[in-house]
Every structure is written in structure tokens, then in C-alpha cells.
């Protein structure tokens, strides 16, 4: 896969060009006085780490923004809640995001991360599985409807000469992957950190591969369009707080690690801090839409159309809304 690389000049150029689109800033300015509450859904995996830090460090409150965090099991659950207007914004992997755009009024205002290294296929250490090819006929835990599952079935299995029908997919939520593997309910799982790294630490799992060689794996900050159109200023304030979280990960990684570690301990995962530190090192937290993103979304959209999961390829110049992040970055 093409390596991710965006120079500062490219990032500024991308943001600067789109900031002027459709008079977005004038609408944001007219709504500057109104700051309604924003509800944000995040995933109870490593992909939720920036939200966990933002909430724990009260980064939104420091800006006077009213952001209410809600934890979900997966991006698919967040997307469904957004379509049902249960939350205003959320972090979505590529597949849930594309489906949300095609079936709802969802758009993206920033990236959260490019996270291929956080996704892994893990086998039980005693299952005699040393390669993806060895999964033929085996039971594999995977959370259906997630980007993790979509990439596993449509990209990774074919790369090793297997089809979807060659493995027994068992619908298991990410948070239950460790216990499912430990109990031998499944022979392997396609999961997201920190759970693969936890299984390695516990000595029950062996990582067969991560996803970085097979997929861009963007995680996007999505918003319901009616919220963006009615309260653009509130979305910008949210992104200002989010950028503060990004800064902590880049400039104070030990501080971020401690917050995320304590959060997972509170969920019952009593693992050494080094496990969470290793997991976080797998995630490239980047708020910008990198040049590779649009071609990736077009390619994935076409695949979903072929599979009849959506009926059209979205207009990605419209659905990647660049103005709010550009405005937030000015601060």
C-alpha cells in the first residue's frame, strides 16, 4: 500500500482551498453566538482514545463548549445512532462512514486517525494457525458491519487465496474478542487494539498480521448535516477541543497513555501500562484529510455498490467538508 505522507504545505493547501467553498465561513460566523450541546459517539476501543483524553482532561469545557460523550461498541452502532438522530457526531471507520453517507445525512469534518496498524488478525496460540491461509474452515470472531470485518473479508482473505465462505465468521463484539479466544469459542479473531495486544500480553494469542499492508483504514469524525448546517459554530468549537487532544498525543504521549490506561482499567482490563503504550504507538492520529483518502473512499464505495450495500458512489468532494477544521485550526 502507498505510504502515508503529507507535507505541512500540502495540508495547508488542502485546507486553505476548501475553506472558501460555498461561503461556509459566513454561515459559521452568523451562528457564532449559538453554542448548543453536541453529542459525540466514540468507540470503546483504541479508536476512542482521543475522545477519552478529551473527556478526561475537560478539553471542551475549557473552551466553553458543551460536548456530551457517549460510548458505543463499534462505528456501525455510532452510525446507526447518527442516522436515528441519537447522536450529532461520531468517530466512524471507512465502511460505516460510507454507508452512513449513502443512507443518511452524514458527512466528515476531519479525520481522527489512519489506523491500519491497530487492526490485527489474532489466532489462539494452541490452534496450530501460523498464517491467514490456515484459517480455512476455522471459526473467526469478527464484529459484523465494522470496517475491521469488511477489510478482513474483502481484502485480507483474498490476499491469501481464501473466500468469505472458506471461514466460519462468528459475530463477536470487539470487547468480547479476548474472552472468546481464551474460551476457545473462536479459533481466531479480526480485531482492534488494545484487544489484540492484550491477548499477546496474556499469552493466549498470536498476531498473524496487522492491516497496514492491505488498507488505508481511515477513522473519520462524522457529523449529521442538519447539525452542521444549523450549528456550524458548535462544530468548530468541538474541533478546537479535539485538536487540543491531538496535541496531547503528539506532545505529551505519556500523559495520554496514562489517561487511556486508567480508562481501560476501569473497564476491567487490568494490564500493564506498557500494553496500552504499545497499542497507542500503532495509531497515526492525524486530523487532516490526506490526499490518499478520496481515492480510497471512491474505491471502497464502488465495492459496496457491487455488494449492494449502497446504491450509489457518493460525491466525495461534497461529503468531505473541509471548512470547519480549517476554521478550528486558526485557533
Amino acid at each position: 500500500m502507498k505510504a502515508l505522507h503529507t507535507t505541512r504545505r500540502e495540508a495547508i493547501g488542502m485546507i486553505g482551498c476548501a475553506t472558501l467553498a460555498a461561503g461556509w465561513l459566513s454561515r459559521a460566523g452568523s451562528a457564532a453566538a449559538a453554542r448548543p450541546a453536541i453529542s459525540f459517539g466514540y468507540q470503546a476501543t483504541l479508536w476512542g482514545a482521543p475522545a477519552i483524553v478529551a473527556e478526561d482532561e475537560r478539553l471542551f469545557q475549557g473552551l466553553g463548549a458543551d460536548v456530551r460523550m457517549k460510548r458505543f461498541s463499534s462505528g456501525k452502532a455510532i452510525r446507526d445512532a447518527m442516522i436515528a438522530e441519537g447522536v450529532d457526531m461520531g468517530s466512524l471507520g471507512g465502511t460505516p462512514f460510507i454507508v452512513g453517507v449513502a443512507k443518511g445525512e452524514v458527512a466528515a469534518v476531519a479525520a481522527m486517525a489512519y489506523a491500519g496498524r491497530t487492526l490485527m488478525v489474532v489466532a489462539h496460540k494452541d490452534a496450530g494457525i501460523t498464517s491467514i491461509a490456515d484459517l480455512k474452515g476455522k471459526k473467526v470472531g469478527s464484529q459484523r458491519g465494522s470496517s475491521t470485518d469488511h477489510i478482513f473479508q474483502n481484502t485480507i482473505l483474498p490476499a491469501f487465496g481464501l473466500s468469505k465462505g472458506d471461514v466460519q465468521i462468528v459475530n463477536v463484539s470487539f470487547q468480547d474478542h479476548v474472552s472468546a479466544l481464551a474460551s476457545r469459542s473462536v479459533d481466531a479473531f479480526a480485531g482492534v487494539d488494545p484487544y489484540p495486544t492484550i491477548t499477546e500480553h496474556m499469552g493466549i494469542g498470536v498476531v498473524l498480521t496487522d492491516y497496514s499492508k492491505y488498507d488505508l483504514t481511515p477513522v473519520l469524525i462524522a457529523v449529521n448535516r442538519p447539525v452542521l448546517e444549523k450549528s456550524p459554530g458548535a462544530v468548530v468549537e468541538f474541533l478546537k477541543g479535539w485538536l487540543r487532544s491531538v496535541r496531547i498525543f503528539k506532545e505529551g504521549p505519556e500523559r495520554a497513555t496514562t489517561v487511556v490506561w486508567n480508562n481501560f482499567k476501569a473497564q476491567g482490563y487490568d494490564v500493564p501500562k506498557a500494553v496500552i503504550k504499545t497499542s497507542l504507538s500503532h495509531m497515526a492520529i492525524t486530523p487532516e484529510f490526506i490526499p490518499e483518502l478520496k481515492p480510497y473512499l471512491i474505491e471502497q464505495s464502488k465495492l459496496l455498490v457491487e455488494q449492494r450495500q449502497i446504491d450509489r458512489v457518493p460525491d466525495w468532494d461534497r461529503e468531505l467538508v473541509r471548512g470547519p477544521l480549517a476554521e478550528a485550526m486558526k485557533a
Side-chain angles (χ1 to χ4, degrees), residues 54-239:
E55 185 172 31
D56 188 84
E57 298 283 307
R58 299 178 63 82
L59 301 181
F60 299 112
Q61 290 89 331
L63 293 166
D66 186 358
V67 177
R68 301 170 187 182
M69 294 291 195
K70 297 184 179 182
R71 181 181 296 173
F72 289 82
S73 63
S74 68
K76 177 181 181 296
I78 296 170
R79 179 203 68 209
D80 292 346
M82 290 182 68
I83 291 175
E85 300 183 354
V87 290
D88 302 314
M89 300 180 67
S91 58
L92 302 179
T95 304
F97 172 63
I98 294 169
V99 174
V101 169
K103 296 187 176 182
E105 294 186 275
V106 176
V109 290
M112 192 208 83
Y114 298 90
R117 292 181 62 216
T118 70
L119 305 184
M120 304 176 205
V121 183
V122 182
H124 195 282
K125 68 178 182 62
D126 296 328
I129 299 170
T130 60
S131 166
I132 298 296
D134 296 332
L135 293 176
K136 187 170 184 177
K138 303 295 186 180
K139 291 183 292 184
V140 180
S142 188
Q143 183 148 340
R144 292 189 183 276
S146 66
S147 293
T148 309
D149 179 64
H150 178 81
I151 298 164
F152 173 68
Q153 293 202 47
N154 292 280
T155 303
I156 295 180
L157 286 178
F160 288 84
L162 299 179
S163 67
K164 298 177 184 180
D166 287 330
V167 299
Q168 301 176 50
I169 298 295
V170 181
N171 189 23
V172 181
S173 65
F174 294 124
Q175 299 94 307
D176 294 329
H177 281 170
V178 177
S179 60
L181 195 68
S183 67
R184 300 300 295 269
S185 298
V186 297
D187 301 300
F189 68 76
V192 59
D193 256 335
Y195 308 114
T197 302
I198 288 173
T199 62
E200 279 194 304
H201 166 74
M202 293 173 64
I204 62 174
V206 177
V207 174
L208 302 179
T209 187
D210 68 38
Y211 283 31
S212 60
K213 292 183 281 187
Y214 307 100
D215 196 270
L216 184 65
T217 318
V219 186
L220 301 168
I221 297 179
V223 62
N224 274 330
R225 276 194 175 274
V227 174
L228 179 61
E229 292 167 0
K230 182 179 179 181
S231 307
V235 174
V236 170
E237 291 304 305
F238 171 88
L239 290 172

Side-chain angles (χ1 to χ4, degrees), residues 306-318:
E306 291 174 6
Q307 296 175 345
R308 299 184 180 180
Q309 294 190 50
I310 60 175
D311 59 9
R312 61 182 175 84
V313 174
D315 177 357
W316 292 115
D317 288 324
R318 176 180 184 270

Side-chain angles (χ1 to χ4, degrees), residues 292-305:
E292 296 92 338
L293 179 60
K294 179 182 171 182
Y296 172 86
L297 292 172
I298 292 172
E299 178 184 3
Q300 294 300 310
S301 301
K302 290 178 178 178
L303 178 60
L304 291 171
V305 170

